[in-house]
């Protein structure tokens, strides 16, 4: 298992969650990393990415609400999600960008009133 995601849960619209991804890869500090999500009946999409040297990109629909960050010394990637919306409901995964590694189990985020 290369990636373990945690931190999901049930939250009301407008709420916040912080997702954590722990990587077992010895080269994590050199990996460009991304957070992905898959909603029921939809294809997996990347919502945020951060290069090994810190450049960040976001899906338009999450810009200004989600923040990706990482600690290379701790092999950890985070996704701070604020102002959550119903449409953010999905299973969230982390993985490298470009050449995908085996997927972890993901963490379920449910936005519901």
């Amino acid at each position: 298992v290369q990636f373990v995601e945690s931190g999901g849960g049930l939250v009301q619209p407008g709420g916040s969650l912080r997702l954590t991804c722990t990587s077992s890869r010895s080269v994590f500090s050199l990996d460009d990393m991304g957070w992905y999500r898959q909603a029921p009946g939809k294809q997996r999409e990347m919502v945020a990415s951060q290069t090994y040297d810190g450049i960040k990109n976001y899906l338009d629909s999450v810009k200004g609400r989600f923040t990706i960050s990482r600690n290379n010394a701790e092999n950890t990637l985070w996704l701070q999600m604020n102002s959550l919306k119903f449409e953010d409901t999905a299973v969230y995964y982390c993985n490298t960008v470009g050449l995908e590694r085996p997927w972890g189990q993901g963490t379920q985020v449910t936005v519901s009133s």
Side-chain angles (χ1 to χ4, degrees):
V1 177
Q2 298 195 34
F3 307 111
V4 177
E5 302 91 350
S6 62
L10 174 63
V11 64
Q12 292 186 339
S16 297
L17 285 172
R18 189 191 197 205
L19 306 185
T20 300
C21 165
T22 302
S23 171
S24 63
R25 287 173 51 78
S26 61
V27 294
F28 176 81
S29 63
L30 299 178
D31 284 335
D32 295 338
M33 290 296 299
W35 280 101
Y36 302 76
R37 67 185 179 189
Q38 187 166 22
K42 295 188 176 181
Q43 288 192 334
R44 187 151 35 202
E45 62 181 353
M46 183 188 296
V47 296
S49 65
Q50 185 171 4
T51 62
Y52 73 97
D53 57 351
I55 299 172
K56 303 179 183 181
N57 280 290
Y58 297 94
L59 188 68
D60 282 348
S61 61
V62 308
K63 283 180 180 177
R65 301 189 297 120
F66 290 11
T67 302
I68 189 172
S69 60
R70 65 193 292 168
N71 184 323
N72 288 338
E74 296 183 358
N75 276 30
T76 303
L77 183 76
W78 296 281
L79 185 68
Q80 178 67 44
M81 305 188 297
N82 299 328
S83 303
L84 282 161
K85 303 178 179 180
F86 293 120
E87 53 264 41
D88 295 320
T89 294
V91 180
Y92 284 72
Y93 305 85
C94 62
N95 209 315
T96 52
V97 175
L99 180 61
E100 294 172 356
R101 314 296 171 176
W103 294 91
Q105 84 287 351
T107 186
Q108 175 71 50
V109 172
T110 302
V111 184
S112 175
S113 54

